[in-house]
Amino acid sequence: MPRSIDILPLRPEDRGAWEGLWKAYLAFYETTLAEAVIDLSFTRYSAPAHSDMMAWLAWQTGRAIGLVHVISHAHGWKAEPVTYLQDLFVAPDARGQGIGAALIDHVCADAAAAGRPSVYWLTQSHNVTARRLYDRVATDTGFVKYAK
């Protein structure tokens, strides 16, 4: 684990810290979302009632420096639910400290503790920085995503 970070569940009082990271993540992917969608996403990720959608922030010296969003769901090939790691982001000035790997490890530990045997995620093929991390901590399944 990187030097002195805490990975904590997203709470309603974390809105400002989360939103800064979330909007930076969206900017990285050259996209924007309507404020109503941002509000809805935050509510889903920070409310215990939405137990299938979870989020954590990585904190270092009182500052949120990373986020991860996950969705648990049923799977047609497994009896147990699985975990989809939907979003992972580390602030640019905090990269290179192992925070992304720590967030992935945290998600995997949460999944295992909850009886979800599999964690998976997607990334863009040209995101070489992220892929270096992912190739180190997971297996490239060779699947290609299509959307309509």
Side-chain angles (χ1 to χ4, degrees), residues 2 10 20 27 36 38 42 52 67-68 76 95 102 122-123 127 139:
L10 184 65
I38 292 171
F42 181 78
D52 59 335
L67 68 76
V68 65
R95 292 180 185 158
L122 308 169
T123 195
N127 189 346
T139 301

PDB file of all heavy atoms in Angstrom, residues 2 10 20 27 36 38 42 52 67-68 76 95 102 122-123 127 139:
ATOM      1  N   PRO A   2       0.469   2.281  -0.680  1.00  0.00           N
ATOM      2  CA  PRO A   2       1.249   3.515  -0.718  1.00  0.00           C
ATOM      3  C   PRO A   2       1.342   4.140   0.670  1.00  0.00           C
ATOM      4  O   PRO A   2       0.628   3.767   1.585  1.00  0.00           O
ATOM      5  CB  PRO A   2       0.473   4.404  -1.681  1.00  0.00           C
ATOM      6  CG  PRO A   2      -0.878   3.826  -1.751  1.00  0.00           C
ATOM      7  CD  PRO A   2      -0.755   2.368  -1.440  1.00  0.00           C
ATOM      8  N   LEU A  10     -17.624   6.136   0.476  1.00  0.00           N
ATOM      9  CA  LEU A  10     -18.145   7.462   0.149  1.00  0.00           C
ATOM     10  C   LEU A  10     -19.318   7.783   1.067  1.00  0.00           C
ATOM     11  O   LEU A  10     -20.225   6.968   1.229  1.00  0.00           O
ATOM     12  CB  LEU A  10     -18.596   7.493  -1.318  1.00  0.00           C
ATOM     13  CG  LEU A  10     -19.087   8.835  -1.853  1.00  0.00           C
ATOM     14  CD1 LEU A  10     -17.956   9.865  -1.861  1.00  0.00           C
ATOM     15  CD2 LEU A  10     -19.645   8.652  -3.262  1.00  0.00           C
ATOM     16  N   GLY A  20     -14.994  16.791  -7.248  1.00  0.00           N
ATOM     17  CA  GLY A  20     -13.776  17.267  -7.894  1.00  0.00           C
ATOM     18  C   GLY A  20     -13.060  16.146  -8.638  1.00  0.00           C
ATOM     19  O   GLY A  20     -12.643  16.313  -9.791  1.00  0.00           O
ATOM     20  N   ALA A  27     -13.445  14.594 -17.403  1.00  0.00           N
ATOM     21  CA  ALA A  27     -12.648  15.416 -18.323  1.00  0.00           C
ATOM     22  C   ALA A  27     -11.561  14.576 -18.993  1.00  0.00           C
ATOM     23  O   ALA A  27     -11.294  14.753 -20.189  1.00  0.00           O
ATOM     24  CB  ALA A  27     -12.030  16.596 -17.569  1.00  0.00           C
ATOM     25  N   ALA A  36     -27.956  16.722 -13.103  1.00  0.00           N
ATOM     26  CA  ALA A  36     -28.925  15.790 -12.519  1.00  0.00           C
ATOM     27  C   ALA A  36     -28.363  14.370 -12.470  1.00  0.00           C
ATOM     28  O   ALA A  36     -28.616  13.627 -11.518  1.00  0.00           O
ATOM     29  CB  ALA A  36     -30.231  15.822 -13.314  1.00  0.00           C
ATOM     30  N   ILE A  38     -25.083  13.642 -12.317  1.00  0.00           N
ATOM     31  CA  ILE A  38     -24.038  13.681 -11.294  1.00  0.00           C
ATOM     32  C   ILE A  38     -24.670  13.562  -9.910  1.00  0.00           C
ATOM     33  O   ILE A  38     -24.202  12.794  -9.061  1.00  0.00           O
ATOM     34  CB  ILE A  38     -23.184  14.950 -11.433  1.00  0.00           C
ATOM     35  CG1 ILE A  38     -22.371  14.873 -12.726  1.00  0.00           C
ATOM     36  CG2 ILE A  38     -22.286  15.156 -10.214  1.00  0.00           C
ATOM     37  CD1 ILE A  38     -21.643  16.142 -13.092  1.00  0.00           C
ATOM     38  N   PHE A  42     -24.066  10.413  -7.353  1.00  0.00           N
ATOM     39  CA  PHE A  42     -23.568  10.602  -5.985  1.00  0.00           C
ATOM     40  C   PHE A  42     -24.534   9.995  -4.974  1.00  0.00           C
ATOM     41  O   PHE A  42     -24.112   9.304  -4.041  1.00  0.00           O
ATOM     42  CB  PHE A  42     -23.337  12.077  -5.666  1.00  0.00           C
ATOM     43  CG  PHE A  42     -22.800  12.264  -4.285  1.00  0.00           C
ATOM     44  CD1 PHE A  42     -21.464  12.017  -4.010  1.00  0.00           C
ATOM     45  CD2 PHE A  42     -23.631  12.642  -3.243  1.00  0.00           C
ATOM     46  CE1 PHE A  42     -20.963  12.148  -2.726  1.00  0.00           C
ATOM     47  CE2 PHE A  42     -23.139  12.777  -1.953  1.00  0.00           C
ATOM     48  CZ  PHE A  42     -21.804  12.529  -1.699  1.00  0.00           C
ATOM     49  N   ASP A  52     -26.094  -2.326  -4.203  1.00  0.00           N
ATOM     50  CA  ASP A  52     -25.454  -2.865  -5.398  1.00  0.00           C
ATOM     51  C   ASP A  52     -24.489  -1.866  -6.036  1.00  0.00           C
ATOM     52  O   ASP A  52     -23.766  -2.216  -6.963  1.00  0.00           O
ATOM     53  CB  ASP A  52     -26.498  -3.313  -6.420  1.00  0.00           C
ATOM     54  CG  ASP A  52     -27.412  -2.185  -6.861  1.00  0.00           C
ATOM     55  OD1 ASP A  52     -27.589  -1.212  -6.100  1.00  0.00           O
ATOM     56  OD2 ASP A  52     -27.962  -2.279  -7.968  1.00  0.00           O
ATOM     57  N   LEU A  67     -10.623   7.820  -6.421  1.00  0.00           N
ATOM     58  CA  LEU A  67     -11.977   7.277  -6.257  1.00  0.00           C
ATOM     59  C   LEU A  67     -12.105   5.979  -7.015  1.00  0.00           C
ATOM     60  O   LEU A  67     -11.386   5.724  -7.984  1.00  0.00           O
ATOM     61  CB  LEU A  67     -13.057   8.270  -6.700  1.00  0.00           C
ATOM     62  CG  LEU A  67     -13.211   8.646  -8.174  1.00  0.00           C
ATOM     63  CD1 LEU A  67     -13.878   7.563  -9.010  1.00  0.00           C
ATOM     64  CD2 LEU A  67     -14.035   9.903  -8.288  1.00  0.00           C
ATOM     65  N   VAL A  68     -13.029   5.169  -6.550  1.00  0.00           N
ATOM     66  CA  VAL A  68     -13.387   3.950  -7.265  1.00  0.00           C
ATOM     67  C   VAL A  68     -14.884   3.728  -7.086  1.00  0.00           C
ATOM     68  O   VAL A  68     -15.423   3.942  -5.995  1.00  0.00           O
ATOM     69  CB  VAL A  68     -12.557   2.734  -6.793  1.00  0.00           C
ATOM     70  CG1 VAL A  68     -12.831   2.373  -5.349  1.00  0.00           C
ATOM     71  CG2 VAL A  68     -12.760   1.533  -7.712  1.00  0.00           C
ATOM     72  N   GLY A  76     -24.801 -14.598 -15.350  1.00  0.00           N
ATOM     73  CA  GLY A  76     -25.404 -15.775 -15.967  1.00  0.00           C
ATOM     74  C   GLY A  76     -24.566 -17.038 -15.910  1.00  0.00           C
ATOM     75  O   GLY A  76     -25.076 -18.126 -16.156  1.00  0.00           O
ATOM     76  N   ARG A  95      -0.370  10.316  -8.623  1.00  0.00           N
ATOM     77  CA  ARG A  95      -0.090   9.071  -9.346  1.00  0.00           C
ATOM     78  C   ARG A  95       1.336   8.597  -9.097  1.00  0.00           C
ATOM     79  O   ARG A  95       2.200   9.370  -8.702  1.00  0.00           O
ATOM     80  CB  ARG A  95      -0.347   9.274 -10.838  1.00  0.00           C
ATOM     81  CG  ARG A  95      -1.820   9.482 -11.106  1.00  0.00           C
ATOM     82  CD  ARG A  95      -2.136   9.675 -12.558  1.00  0.00           C
ATOM     83  NE  ARG A  95      -3.556   9.990 -12.679  1.00  0.00           N
ATOM     84  CZ  ARG A  95      -4.088  10.608 -13.701  1.00  0.00           C
ATOM     85  NH1 ARG A  95      -3.344  10.952 -14.730  1.00  0.00           N
ATOM     86  NH2 ARG A  95      -5.383  10.861 -13.719  1.00  0.00           N
ATOM     87  N   ALA A 102      -3.902   0.082  -4.858  1.00  0.00           N
ATOM     88  CA  ALA A 102      -4.523  -0.050  -3.529  1.00  0.00           C
ATOM     89  C   ALA A 102      -6.045  -0.003  -3.638  1.00  0.00           C
ATOM     90  O   ALA A 102      -6.748  -0.752  -2.936  1.00  0.00           O
ATOM     91  CB  ALA A 102      -4.018   1.045  -2.595  1.00  0.00           C
ATOM     92  N   LEU A 122     -13.249  -2.491 -17.475  1.00  0.00           N
ATOM     93  CA  LEU A 122     -12.916  -2.142 -18.858  1.00  0.00           C
ATOM     94  C   LEU A 122     -12.018  -0.914 -18.856  1.00  0.00           C
ATOM     95  O   LEU A 122     -12.059  -0.117 -17.926  1.00  0.00           O
ATOM     96  CB  LEU A 122     -14.186  -1.797 -19.653  1.00  0.00           C
ATOM     97  CG  LEU A 122     -15.327  -2.798 -19.633  1.00  0.00           C
ATOM     98  CD1 LEU A 122     -16.578  -2.181 -20.237  1.00  0.00           C
ATOM     99  CD2 LEU A 122     -14.928  -4.048 -20.383  1.00  0.00           C
ATOM    100  N   THR A 123     -11.255  -0.748 -19.905  1.00  0.00           N
ATOM    101  CA  THR A 123     -10.533   0.500 -20.117  1.00  0.00           C
ATOM    102  C   THR A 123     -10.368   0.699 -21.615  1.00  0.00           C
ATOM    103  O   THR A 123     -10.521  -0.250 -22.394  1.00  0.00           O
ATOM    104  CB  THR A 123      -9.167   0.523 -19.400  1.00  0.00           C
ATOM    105  OG1 THR A 123      -8.693   1.875 -19.352  1.00  0.00           O
ATOM    106  CG2 THR A 123      -8.147  -0.357 -20.090  1.00  0.00           C
ATOM    107  N   ASN A 127      -5.342   3.719 -23.368  1.00  0.00           N
ATOM    108  CA  ASN A 127      -4.985   4.223 -22.045  1.00  0.00           C
ATOM    109  C   ASN A 127      -3.807   3.401 -21.507  1.00  0.00           C
ATOM    110  O   ASN A 127      -3.956   2.549 -20.642  1.00  0.00           O
ATOM    111  CB  ASN A 127      -6.198   4.158 -21.107  1.00  0.00           C
ATOM    112  CG  ASN A 127      -5.951   4.857 -19.793  1.00  0.00           C
ATOM    113  OD1 ASN A 127      -4.823   5.183 -19.450  1.00  0.00           O
ATOM    114  ND2 ASN A 127      -7.016   5.071 -19.043  1.00  0.00           N
ATOM    115  N   THR A 139      -5.664 -10.036 -15.302  1.00  0.00           N
ATOM    116  CA  THR A 139      -5.481 -10.735 -16.575  1.00  0.00           C
ATOM    117  C   THR A 139      -6.325 -10.073 -17.653  1.00  0.00           C
ATOM    118  O   THR A 139      -7.531  -9.862 -17.460  1.00  0.00           O
ATOM    119  CB  THR A 139      -5.919 -12.209 -16.432  1.00  0.00           C
ATOM    120  OG1 THR A 139      -5.130 -12.801 -15.399  1.00  0.00           O
ATOM    121  CG2 THR A 139      -5.735 -12.964 -17.721  1.00  0.00           C
TER     122      THR A 139
END
